[in-house]
Amino acid sequence: MNKKIFGCIFVFFAGLCAFADFNRFNIPDSAEIRRTKAESWFFGELGQLREKKSEIEKNAVGQEFQIRMEETDSTFAVVVAPKTLLETEIFTEKGVEKRTVDNFAGDSCGGWVLVKDSKTSKPLFLRIYFSQDSDEFVQFAPSGAKTLSDFVISGLYAAHYVPLGIPFEKLYTLSFEQIFSLTENLLPWKYADRQQGQFESKLQMIAAIRKNLERVVYCPDSCYDENGKPIFISSGKERKIDFEEIEKISGKIENPVVVDDAGFLKWICDGLVEPVTGSFLYRNPLVMPTSEENKTGKKSIISQNYYLSFSLDWCRNLAAAALSVKSHRNYLWKDSGVDVTLEPFASEVTDRGITQTAGYLKNSGYQIEKLKPLLFVLASTEPTYCYLAAIKRPLQDKKLSDSEIFAFDRCAVIFPFYDKNGRFNCVIFENGRELTFKQFAEKYKGSFIHLSRVLTENNFYLQ
């Protein structure tokens, strides 16, 4: 063969390898390593693999991977894990020192895990981690001459048992780019689509709210009207604020914002509309009813004394008002489309196996235990939106502690996004405080969360 032609072919092949290693998702790829190690690692029986020592190999672009075997009571796994750097604390004679050590975690981005049955050494499934969050992965299982594929987010299936027309063992040596091409039209990869800069307005709003949190003073039943004057939410009447009392309790605060949790959300939405309109949102449209629930029996009696749908109405109407200002059209809630009703998951992984999962419930929202996977999806599919969260929980009244009546009596704002490293993050503000998702989920365990979407803006100013 002509040496020049051979050289061109070699360069072309090397280019393909490099492309496979860092694909459109920028995921470390172990394909060429797996091709050379397939026979000795992926087809061997348990007894043979027990005698093998872990190996470290580099792909074409120098990314290191560790190949090893892990064993449980009934299964064993062949793991091909990329190297990451882990910050750790080490105790020495001089005290605690922070050091950076090499780490080869199978569930890190680019991790590849083949799980087999310990008794038969037959493959059970192959799991590939494509995200910086180990809660997101694709999984494949053999089914005769075909392969079944899953797309999993935080324990819920966005796609389950989708047939893939290739033999399972062919996956052992495919690059991630090749797997993506095979499943592009079968699996919901849009849930993993993250682009640089798409969260800019969201991050700007988060920073502005954080900067002003120290100004927020809680006061029940309080918000500001369209002219910036403090009023009672329940009646719309003007209220007097005792600034001397605030200073005694909270210390001296420059330009305090005196609100409750509902007034806090209005203050944020006012920061979106005031730069456009020159005024804040009116109170009266925000308490207009948005649902007609069948109130019978005990619920009918209780609803005479309690506003059971308050935060649901408040959040829906706030979102519709913000949309109206943005679009220069007057939207009522029912025509605005602000409700999040997405149902991206059909089933979930539990201790009892795979079970059906409840999605959106009309005028209730989502179970808080199922909210995080939904926020993963929303961060990818709606990167420029934040969400007003109306919280529906058991009625907080000691006299009715045995009641099964739920009320929308709290609200918060949620900003889901992916950071610059591609890791999922979620910032929640409630009542002038910032919460992690874990804190929020623990605080409202057993509750329902109804989401109304609001477009984030760079032109955002908090009065």
Side-chain angles (χ1 to χ4, degrees):
M1 180 184 290
N2 184 291
K3 288 184 178 180
K4 287 186 177 180
I5 295 176
F6 178 80
C8 289
I9 292 174
F10 177 79
V11 171
F12 177 70
F13 179 76
L16 285 178
C17 288
F19 179 74
D21 284 341
F22 286 93
N23 38 72
R24 70 189 79 179
F25 286 92
N26 202 25
I27 296 170
D29 201 309
S30 59
E32 68 243 44
I33 296 172
R34 286 184 274 110
R35 292 187 192 109
T36 62
K37 301 293 180 178
E39 193 64 34
S40 58
W41 279 97
F42 306 149
F43 295 97
E45 295 186 352
L46 177 58
Q48 297 172 309
L49 293 179
R50 279 175 176 160
E51 298 177 0
K52 292 181 69 67
K53 294 182 179 180
S54 64
E55 301 177 28
I56 294 180
E57 299 284 345
K58 291 184 179 181
N59 62 15
V61 293
Q63 171 74 51
E64 289 185 0
F65 288 81
Q66 184 186 67
I67 309 171
R68 64 179 183 268
M69 192 272 284
E70 296 178 354
E71 191 173 355
T72 66
D73 292 338
S74 58
T75 65
F76 68 97
V78 179
V79 179
V80 185
K83 185 178 84 170
T84 56
L85 298 178
L86 181 67
E87 296 286 341
T88 186
E89 293 182 345
I90 297 177
F91 292 90
T92 67
E93 293 178 355
K94 297 180 180 179
V96 179
E97 294 183 5
K98 289 186 177 182
R99 293 184 185 176
T100 301
V101 298
D102 292 348
N103 185 49
F104 294 91
D107 61 356
S108 60
C109 184
W112 191 97
V113 182
L114 173 63
V115 177
K116 292 187 170 187
D117 183 271
S118 294
K119 292 182 179 179
T120 64
S121 292
K122 289 184 177 179
L124 299 176
F125 62 86
L126 167 63
R127 184 173 293 178
I128 302 172
Y129 293 91
F130 61 85
S131 169
Q132 295 293 342
D133 283 276
S134 58
D135 282 343
E136 295 182 288
F137 55 85
V138 285
Q139 185 167 284
F140 304 92
S143 178
K146 295 188 300 184
T147 299
L148 301 178
S149 52
D150 302 325
F151 196 103
V152 183
I153 302 176
S154 196
L156 299 186
Y157 285 96
H160 184 47
Y161 280 0
V162 179
L164 183 62
I166 62 170
F168 178 77
E169 292 178 350
K170 187 174 177 62
L171 294 169
Y172 292 177
T173 56
L174 293 184
S175 68
F176 184 81
E177 184 67 29
Q178 290 170 318
I179 290 174
F180 173 77
S181 296
L182 286 169
T183 60
E184 186 174 8
N185 297 320
L186 300 175
L187 300 179
W189 287 106
K190 62 183 179 179
Y191 298 161
D193 185 17
R194 288 131 212 179
Q195 315 251 338
Q196 282 282 347
Q198 61 185 350
F199 302 111
E200 181 182 345
S201 59
K202 189 176 292 189
L203 295 175
Q204 185 164 316
M205 284 188 64
I206 290 172
I209 295 169
R210 281 176 174 161
K211 186 177 179 180
N212 285 275
L213 286 182
E214 292 183 355
R215 296 172 50 208
V216 179
V217 177
Y218 177 76
C219 183
D221 193 20
S222 299
C223 75
Y224 292 89
D225 68 8
E226 68 277 9
N227 298 310
K229 294 181 179 179
I231 59 172
F232 290 94
I233 291 176
S234 57
S235 65
K237 294 181 179 179
E238 184 178 352
R239 73 177 303 158
K240 301 295 182 182
I241 295 179
D242 189 338
F243 290 101
E244 291 184 0
E245 185 67 21
I246 289 174
E247 188 170 336
K248 286 180 183 178
I249 298 172
S250 305
K252 190 171 183 178
I253 300 174
E254 186 176 347
N255 192 19
V257 178
V258 184
V259 290
D260 66 0
D261 58 330
F264 177 68
L265 261 60
K266 182 180 185 297
W267 176 62
I268 291 173
C269 289
D270 285 339
L272 288 168
V273 305
E274 195 274 338
V276 179
T277 64
S279 63
F280 300 147
L281 294 171
Y282 287 81
R283 171 262 178 197
N284 289 352
L286 302 182
V287 294
M288 295 292 291
T290 63
S291 63
E292 295 181 4
E293 293 190 45
N294 183 20
K295 299 173 183 177
T296 58
K298 185 187 292 186
K299 189 171 184 178
S300 176
I301 297 172
I302 292 175
S303 66
Q304 295 175 20
N305 298 312
Y306 295 93
Y307 188 172
L308 298 180
S309 63
F310 167 69
S311 64
L312 175 64
D313 299 337
W314 188 261
C315 288
R316 279 173 161 172
N317 290 322
L318 268 177
L323 175 64
S324 296
V325 171
K326 173 66 178 176
S327 61
H328 304 288
R329 295 180 61 184
N330 188 24
Y331 280 101
L332 296 177
W333 162 77
K334 63 180 180 178
D335 303 316
S336 66
V338 296
D339 274 8
V340 176
T341 60
L342 187 68
E343 296 196 56
F345 306 107
S347 53
E348 66 178 309
V349 184
T350 68
D351 294 337
R352 302 183 304 276
I354 298 170
T355 62
Q356 295 299 111
T357 186
Y360 174 79
L361 298 176
K362 185 178 179 181
N363 294 328
S364 287
Y366 302 88
Q367 292 176 317
I368 197 167
E369 291 76 14
K370 310 295 171 55
L371 185 62
K372 189 176 181 181
L374 176 69
L375 295 175
F376 270 80
V377 170
L378 291 174
S380 294
T381 58
E382 301 183 4
T384 56
Y385 284 91
C386 63
Y387 303 91
L388 306 183
I391 302 160
K392 184 180 184 180
R393 59 178 180 161
L395 194 61
Q396 304 295 296
D397 189 323
K398 293 180 180 179
K399 298 177 183 178
L400 300 169
S401 59
D402 296 329
S403 173
E404 295 182 358
I405 302 298
F406 279 62
F408 279 105
D409 66 346
R410 287 289 182 270
C411 51
V413 59
I414 302 178
F415 293 85
F417 64 96
Y418 287 88
D419 65 21
K420 61 183 180 181
N421 297 315
R423 189 174 297 278
F424 176 77
N425 205 335
C426 184
V427 172
I428 300 175
F429 296 108
E430 181 200 29
N431 253 344
R433 293 188 175 89
E434 181 175 343
L435 302 176
T436 65
F437 182 84
K438 183 178 180 181
Q439 291 170 328
F440 183 70
E442 289 176 351
K443 182 176 181 179
Y444 293 112
K445 185 177 181 180
S447 300
F448 288 85
I449 310 297
H450 194 285
L451 302 177
S452 300
R453 55 174 65 87
V454 172
L455 188 66
T456 57
E457 295 282 353
N458 288 321
N459 191 18
F460 173 67
Y461 180 71
L462 292 169
Q463 295 289 337

